[in-house]
Amino acid sequence: MTSSTVAGQGHGTLADRAYRAISDRLVTLRIRPGEPINDERIATELGFGRTPVREALKRLEGDRLIVSYPRRGTFATEVQIADLGYLSEVRQQLEPLAASLAAQRAGEDDRGVLNRLSAQLADASDGGTDLIRLDMTVHRAIYAATRNPYLEDTLVRYDNLATRIWCLFLDRLPALAGHVHEHGPLLRAIIDRDAEKAAALAAGHVEGFEAAIRGVI
């Protein structure tokens, strides 16, 4: 499931495309926590067959975005605020590692992507889901630049779960637009191959996110 960016949903198999489309709905809470998941209805809405949708749902269950119960059905997982600390423990270790590796390993294509995202960040002002999707795209570009598919895969999953918590409190956290713009200096550090600075900025970003959420719960 590497390089599962929010952008680029036209790439990959039908199951890959269904996975990205459904994941986006779950992460941004267009499918609400606890909402039942009907594979036939989703297949119709997305224009996919039921087989790729079912394959996608199996992957999403492994990502802890949905849960299936015998004889009850499949549901979007609830957003557990108690998980914030657990997620932060992992991300505080892995996000700085990813930033450092990206600074060391990013190729010219990666650096081109990061430069374009840096320009998008400079122009971004919307505090809604469009900004959230940009935040997710930035994270995934950094993860891809690590050239470590296992680290990339792991961080995409944890970033998805953290983003769901953010979306749950979006109307109470307007200042988090600034949280997304913090990626500007981080991207610049990676582009400049400053691994130490990139790691420090990534660590501060995770800490700031957790502090902001805890400030409203």
Side-chain angles (χ1 to χ4, degrees):
M1 151 184 122
T2 58
S3 301
S4 300
T5 56
V6 175
Q9 293 197 7
H11 301 295
T13 66
L14 286 175
D16 292 333
R17 291 163 56 194
Y19 169 85
R20 288 191 287 267
I22 301 168
S23 176
D24 180 69
R25 292 182 176 206
L26 288 162
V27 171
T28 61
L29 305 190
R30 288 174 61 195
I31 298 177
R32 300 296 300 176
E35 184 176 329
I37 305 293
N38 182 292
D39 59 353
E40 185 174 6
R41 178 174 57 81
I42 289 178
T44 300
E45 290 177 0
L46 296 178
F48 294 112
R50 293 181 70 179
T51 297
V53 167
R54 286 174 177 171
E55 291 178 13
L57 292 177
K58 289 179 183 177
R59 292 170 63 183
L60 291 163
E61 188 166 11
D63 292 348
R64 300 192 180 191
L65 291 174
I66 66 172
V67 60
S68 295
Y69 300 103
R71 296 181 296 279
R72 285 185 54 198
T74 301
F75 302 84
T77 54
E78 297 290 348
V79 176
Q80 302 293 343
I81 303 306
D83 288 344
L84 177 62
Y86 301 132
L87 291 170
S88 294
E89 283 180 353
V90 176
R91 296 180 72 231
Q92 282 167 1
Q93 298 299 315
L94 297 187
E95 291 280 356
L97 173 62
S100 176
L101 291 176
Q104 297 171 62
R105 298 176 179 176
E108 288 307 310
D109 287 346
D110 296 312
R111 289 154 64 83
V113 170
L114 297 176
N115 267 310
R116 288 191 292 274
L117 287 171
S118 181
Q120 285 182 249
L121 280 171
D123 293 336
S125 59
D126 177 23
T129 54
D130 286 345
L131 193 60
I132 288 173
R133 289 191 176 93
L134 178 57
D135 177 87
M136 293 168 68
T137 303
V138 168
H139 276 276
R140 281 147 183 71
I142 294 171
Y143 305 156
T146 68
R147 299 301 174 189
N148 183 328
Y150 298 100
L151 178 61
E152 179 183 1
D153 182 74
T154 299
L155 276 170
V156 165
R157 296 184 187 202
Y158 285 114
D159 185 61
N160 280 342
L161 295 172
T163 301
R164 290 186 90 213
I165 295 176
W166 178 3
C167 290
L168 192 66
F169 293 98
L170 188 61
D171 60 340
R172 297 164 61 185
L173 292 166
L176 275 188
H179 176 79
V180 178
H181 287 284
E182 289 176 6
H183 288 313
L186 172 58
L187 291 177
R188 178 48 51 192
I190 293 171
I191 293 166
D192 292 344
R193 302 196 183 282
D194 190 338
E196 185 176 350
K197 183 176 181 180
L201 288 170
H205 183 73
V206 175
E207 291 169 6
F209 175 82
E210 182 179 11
I213 297 293
R214 291 200 180 281
V216 298
I217 61 177

